[in-house]
Amino acid sequence: MDLKATALLKLVYLEMFGHDMSWASFHVLEVMSSAKYLQKRVGYLGAVQSFRQDTEVLMLATNLLKKDLTSTSITTMSLPIITLPHVITPSLALSVLSDLLPRLTHSHPAIRKKTIVTLYRLALVYPETLRPAWPKIKERLMDEGEDPSVTAAIVNVVCELGWRRPQDFLPLAPRLFELLVDSGNNWMAIKLIKLFATLTPLEPRLVRKLLPPLTNIIKTTPAMSLLYECINGIIQGGILDSTDDSIGGEEIATLCVSKLRGMVMVEGDANLKYVALLAFNKIVLTHPYLVAQQEDVIMECIDSPDISIRLRALDLVVGMVNSDNLMSIVGRLMRQLKNSRSATAEELNHQPAPIEPTADSDDESPEVAIKTDKGAAEAPLLPDDYKIDVINKILDMCSSNNYGNLVDFDWYIDILIQLVRSAPIPNSSSLSDDSNMGRNETSNLDVSERIGDELRLVAVKVKALRLQATRAAESILISTYNDTSSQLTSGSGVLRAVAWMVGEYASSLASPDGTLTALLQLTKASTSAEGLNIYLQALPKILSLIAGDEHIAWTPERKTMVALLMARIIHALEPLAVHPDLEVQERAVEFSELLKLAAEAASGQETSRDGDQQDAPLLLTQAIPFLFAGQELNSVAAGAQKNVPIPQGLDLDQPINPNLNNLLRAVESASFDKPEQDEFEVYYHQQQPPIAISSNEPAVNRLGAREEPVHSYQQGSEESYLDPDIVARRRAERMERNKDDPFYIAPTEDRSGRSTPLHNILQSNNGPDLDIDSIPIMQLDLGKTSPLSQLSPKKISSHKPLQRIQVAADETLATSGTSTPRYDDSENSLDGPQRQKHKGKSLLQVDSSHIGAFSLEGDSSSGPLDYERQKREDAEMAKAMQEVERLRLEMQRANERIQAAQGVEGTVVKKKKKKAKPVGTEADSGEAVTVVKKKKKAKPAVMDEGEAASEPVEVVKPKKKKKKAKIDEGEQQSIVD
Amino acid sequence: MINAVLVFNNAGQPRLTKFYTQLETSVQQRLISEIFNLVSHRPSGSCNFLPLPPLLASSSTSTVPSSEHNDVPSLVTYRHYATLYFIIISTSTESPLALIDLIQVYVEALDRLFENVCELDLIFNFETLHAALAEMVVGGVVVETQLDKVVEGVKSQGRVAKRPVNEGRGGGLGMGMGMGMGGNFGWTGR
């Protein structure tokens, strides 16, 4: 046995290095049952480290655990107590509960405190535990003569339970308060404050009572941890918000902030800085101005060498930014980005190896594996994450509050250009852009894409700056082309936005030729379909600008120049006609055919000699520009025409329904429908080539005629009565949506902005404020946006499959409806973040629950092969039981809530206790099961909402019964009562 | 609550791993190496709080705003002593500064138990390490923070802990440990 124990000890040691020892579980059990304490201890250690919920021998261990629990020796007794939390399952909890409960009154405090914690862990998997255990724990807590460390343990447990169901612990408040004031134990005080922070929202009167001692502690305590927790508790308990009626919340906030400032200022203690920043982050939500006063110290932290501190400071900075400090803060961050760039680039060159997280888990040389791992993963990961964070934060700051903090857009454009250069691309280039889409790379793309979006947004929204923005885009594009070693790879997200801009605002370009060359180069070099789609659209746009000027004479020079250009483009497009991506293929074919036609026309057209003036071929001067411009007389710039205000008498909203058919016909037959449609297609990066809609698919058109022309009609009206900036906003939204939903073309267009990605909601909602010169026009739309929003439900209801997205559309429409009339920026900007938060939460909720499930059940696959099936069954059963427990807990909670509302909680608990006791003590298994069953049946009856929940319970019941019976049979002899 | 307590040395070799929620062994190893990657690159003057490792981070970003999600580990606290890193992963119900103190208490307790503790002690007596931890943290909840009581609790479990003072490593160990140590010699070379 000695040998076995030693071997087990070695095994446990090996397990620490990642070697599976689940096969040895039976041996663990053997050692556990040894009579010698030291061997026993080894056995229990093995159990703690290796047993999982699905470990089979757990069943066999139950008896042993129960036996050791009743041992006379304190040390032996504590072994099962400290082991139970690691191996507990509901069934195990049920059977050991009766042995564990008496330990609460054990004479030795060490046993008592450990038992309390173990009971808490029992309660987590088997909530019924609390019924018999809670009164006893409470008794311990109330007992003034109790050992202080036991009290502290209880407080810890109560604190853990506290946030789950705070209302149950309100009655304890007086005693807890007493402990807080009298105990003088800082550890406990910290926990108590945390607990109170969860209680105060439920009981506002507590605030009054708590404030004096808390402020007292804040002012006097020498312990930084306690000080911090006090401040934290005040913040988290919502005391700062709620004190407006009673004691000056401002005073406390000021006190807290000044103390926190003191903490940040403490030289050399990074921990205090960190936690103080954490606390600042929470205060800044309610008292941004107070925090903004501490700008100097916070900005120090932003340059701290410690990434953790930097990140916290960064979070904070976003909260406290205003128009005065924006430029200085962003400047500081930019400097940081610029300086850090070279350093990380060097680092990167050293460690280009990919990350292999599992490398170290299997073989005998953990160190080696870890070492290589460390180099590769760390260096690129952290700084890049940080940089991405910084860039995102800069963009957040600048675009926040409808660009309200931004005073100088020129400066912003410069910042954006700079950001494009310092965006951490190197990483993605080393990983190559489509083969391994690592976590890193996607986030990189996201950030550069975001910068591009931002630039585009500025160009679209701020007309005054469109020229500069386009020039900026151009310079980015050309520099990418010129500098082949540049960090920007052709798949980089920013280029998409940039390519769109140079195409759409081609008239603002400084050198269209250079841009075209760069774009061609890009098109040849890039492989990713998303990028190509956009480049392909931009190419003819620029070409039409260069070649399509009908006022310049058709000279031989021009002819050759144009022919050359078109040949180059065709040359670039032709290989793409066999591109694997259908979209790219289609566009390439469309455009290259079109250009071939144009080239033919151009070569056929005679050039003008000295005497007779020859025009350029119409196809070049008329048709191609028409594709993108729509209105020939206006500039190519998309926003130009929409500026023309509609005469008041012309109300495009009214006649929609009565005149529908006429209008449809009219629109369909009207020749300008084609180019207009095309323009929009181009504008929105529609994936289907523009021509297809009107000319290639007449049959489809006729079939879908009802819908499609309506939509184009709508669009026309919408665009003409809406303010340019709103149109722009809608466009941005649409663009975003179309990205998500590439296969939806025309029909989706009229339901604007349905699935705007979260970060864009904010941005796009900012629209109204942005266009400074359009403010007077706002008045005009007020009436008309609301009809639109009234209309929208009708439109929406016709399309069922897209329900999820439609919700978002309602929101957008609603906001535009409510916020435009009042032109209320604050409301608008408030709306955005809120929605964002809400959505984010739900997303994350799924995530976290998934993680939770993963960490609990992830071990189900870790068995030797022969047992696999059995194990799976076992796991299933365990899962089923978990489900039952969960449901039961839910029902129980609901039940208690109902009863608490009726104010009879005390008696109910007593009754339940009576019922629960038989479960634990009854020797006869059949009876126990029936009792449980009865209870279960009774509960759904009490509850209204239990109907749905009771179904799964019923299904699972047989399994559970079987299992319980099994266990009870096994345990019959050991149950003493 | 505390989700895990880890101890590893400067090379990332684990010396103690204790997870208070059940995790697959390979996941544990991945977590350890991720944390080691984070922790080993930190400059000496920086604070004792780590950004969440990627494995945990996916859940963390979501949980920060809402207090309901106290169940998810959100705090990684570490301390560096000579050749060893002590790490505690915990949820938001623990106080960060208190955790730092907790590590301090733990290390002091080990120091008392081993009399001038060093990494070798931990390798050869990792069972004592577990015992000391069990005195302080049970099931992820802190039960004891007083140094004396922790030491007393471990010592009451047997003489093992007292024996392996630096020079006594060769012989005179408790019965289980004597063998265990002999075996351990073989592995430390790895």
Side-chain angles (χ1 to χ4, degrees), chain A residues 2-3 6 9-20 36-38 41-42 45 48-49 51-53 75 78 81-82 85-88 110 113-114 117-118 120-121 124 147-149 152-153 156-157 159-160 163-164 185 187 190-191 194 198 224-225 228-229 263 268 270-272 274-275 278 305-309 311 357-358 360-361 364 366-367 370-371 373-375 377-379 381-382 439 840-841 844-845 847-848 851 854-856 858-859 861-862, chain B residues 1-2 11-30 32-34 36-38 40-43 45-51 54-55 58-59 61-63 65-72 75 91-102 105 122-123 126-128 130-131 134-135 138-146 149 152-154 156-160 174-184 187-190:
Chain A
D2 257 357
L3 199 64
T6 313
L9 197 60
K10 293 177 186 175
L11 199 56
V12 173
Y13 190 85
L14 282 176
E15 201 264 352
M16 190 161 70
F17 283 87
H19 300 272
D20 183 43
K36 292 180 193 156
Y37 171 72
L38 287 173
R41 194 171 74 167
V42 173
L45 180 60
V48 166
Q49 298 296 90
F51 279 14
R52 305 283 183 258
Q53 276 196 340
T75 49
S78 66
I81 294 179
I82 60 174
H86 293 267
V87 300
I88 197 70
K113 69 190 180 197
K114 285 176 187 169
V117 174
T118 305
Y120 156 69
R121 289 300 296 253
L124 287 187
D147 187 283
S149 64
N156 281 347
V157 167
C159 180
E160 289 297 331
W163 62 264
R164 286 170 222 261
N185 179 350
W187 298 87
I190 287 172
K191 283 290 183 179
K194 279 203 174 271
T198 59
M224 279 298 181
S225 53
Y228 165 69
E229 287 305 333
M263 288 171 80
N271 295 326
L272 290 184
Y274 179 84
V275 292
L278 272 185
D306 187 335
I307 294 274
S308 302
I309 291 183
L311 284 173
T358 49
D360 49 322
S361 58
E364 304 93 4
E367 306 108 286
I370 286 173
K371 255 179 216 154
D373 206 28
K374 145 194 139 188
E378 228 297 317
L381 248 188
L382 209 51
R439 200 182 68 89
K841 220 194 251 174
L844 291 173
Q845 265 170 359
D847 253 3
S848 67
I851 285 292
F854 155 78
S855 59
L856 285 173
D859 38 83
S861 61
S862 72
Chain B
M1 64 175 277
I2 293 171
Q13 287 167 297
R15 291 292 172 239
L16 168 84
T17 58
K18 189 79 134 190
F19 291 88
Y20 292 100
T21 47
Q22 297 186 344
L23 269 187
E24 210 178 325
T25 313
S26 62
V27 180
Q28 292 181 358
Q29 292 301 314
R30 225 168 86 206
I32 292 171
S33 70
E34 277 183 3
F36 175 69
N37 283 335
L38 289 176
S40 57
H41 279 75
R42 295 181 67 81
S46 50
C47 72
N48 292 4
F49 307 102
L50 290 176
L55 206 58
S58 50
S59 59
T61 41
S62 56
T63 56
S66 60
S67 54
E68 289 122 13
H69 284 256
N70 285 343
D71 254 347
V72 184
L75 200 62
T91 64
S92 61
T93 51
E94 298 294 330
S95 159
L97 292 174
L99 286 180
I100 294 179
D101 290 346
L102 189 72
V105 171
L122 306 193
I123 296 170
F126 82 108
E127 205 191 354
T128 313
H130 281 285
E135 286 296 311
V138 173
V141 179
V142 179
V143 293
E144 187 55 79
T145 51
Q146 293 176 51
K149 290 201 176 175
E152 183 191 322
V154 179
S156 73
Q157 291 183 19
R159 47 223 162 113
V160 189
M175 25 184 178
M177 285 312 292
M179 310 274 242
M181 245 166 42
N184 276 335
W187 305 318
T188 49
R190 280 188 183 175

Side-chain angles (χ1 to χ4, degrees), chain A residues 638-877:
Chain A
Q641 199 221 343
K642 287 135 212 163
N643 225 4
V644 181
I646 264 189
Q648 277 297 0
L650 178 59
D651 191 349
L652 290 172
D653 283 332
Q654 280 312 87
I656 283 187
N657 288 330
N659 279 348
L660 191 61
N661 283 328
N662 285 342
L663 282 168
L664 293 185
R665 229 167 289 136
V667 169
E668 214 173 10
S669 57
S671 63
F672 67 80
D673 178 40
K674 202 190 291 181
E676 195 184 40
Q677 186 74 34
D678 287 341
E679 187 201 19
F680 275 97
E681 296 300 329
V682 171
Y683 198 108
Y684 300 138
H685 303 251
Q686 282 299 356
Q687 310 263 337
Q688 188 161 331
I691 308 158
I693 287 169
S694 43
S695 61
N696 280 6
E697 309 172 327
V700 173
N701 246 0
R702 234 165 279 143
L703 277 178
R706 286 200 120 250
E707 235 177 343
E708 218 165 345
V710 167
H711 125 72
S712 75
Y713 170 75
Q714 271 258 337
Q715 226 172 23
S717 68
E718 186 186 75
E719 131 197 307
S720 43
Y721 71 70
L722 278 181
D723 223 77
D725 58 341
I726 298 180
V727 170
R729 168 162 57 96
R730 296 175 154 261
R731 269 184 191 199
E733 284 165 4
R734 270 178 223 144
M735 222 138 53
E736 283 307 316
R737 166 169 48 81
N738 284 344
K739 251 184 223 163
D740 289 348
D741 195 0
F743 301 108
Y744 246 88
I745 310 157
T748 52
E749 212 152 24
D750 55 349
R751 279 165 275 134
S752 58
R754 216 161 281 120
S755 76
T756 16
L758 287 181
H759 71 275
N760 258 38
I761 291 179
L762 184 58
Q763 290 173 354
S764 45
N765 270 353
N766 294 339
D769 177 7
L770 198 65
D771 202 340
I772 302 146
D773 50 289
S774 68
I775 291 172
I777 311 178
M778 288 308 275
Q779 217 56 35
L780 189 98
D781 338 314
L782 305 190
K784 297 188 182 174
T785 30
S786 37
L788 181 77
S789 60
Q790 283 162 6
L791 270 178
S792 59
K794 214 186 341 173
K795 283 186 280 170
I796 281 160
S797 60
S798 66
H799 273 261
K800 285 244 159 156
L802 283 172
Q803 222 160 14
R804 184 182 64 85
I805 307 171
Q806 279 162 8
V807 175
D810 267 350
E811 280 175 8
T812 334
L813 286 171
T815 9
S816 72
T818 57
S819 66
T820 26
R822 270 189 275 156
Y823 193 55
D824 190 349
D825 280 343
S826 64
E827 185 186 319
N828 206 355
S829 63
L830 261 177
D831 251 359
Q834 267 172 9
R835 211 174 313 144
Q836 204 171 345
K837 240 186 219 165
H838 174 70
K839 271 200 170 173
K841 220 194 251 174
S842 66
L843 251 184
L844 291 173
Q845 265 170 359
V846 176
D847 253 3
S848 67
S849 72
H850 173 71
I851 285 292
F854 155 78
S855 59
L856 285 173
E857 295 164 6
D859 38 83
S860 55
S861 61
S862 72
L865 285 174
D866 14 351
Y867 295 140
E868 210 162 41
R869 193 181 301 159
Q870 263 177 311
K871 276 199 173 164
R872 216 177 300 137
E873 279 170 13
D874 256 1
E876 260 170 35
M877 198 180 276

Side-chain angles (χ1 to χ4, degrees), chain A residues 200 203-212 237 239 242-243 247:
Chain A
T200 45
E203 180 55 276
R205 283 174 297 176
L206 262 179
V207 173
R208 255 172 210 283
K209 195 121 170 60
L210 274 175
L211 265 184
I239 296 179
S242 63
T243 41
I247 324 115

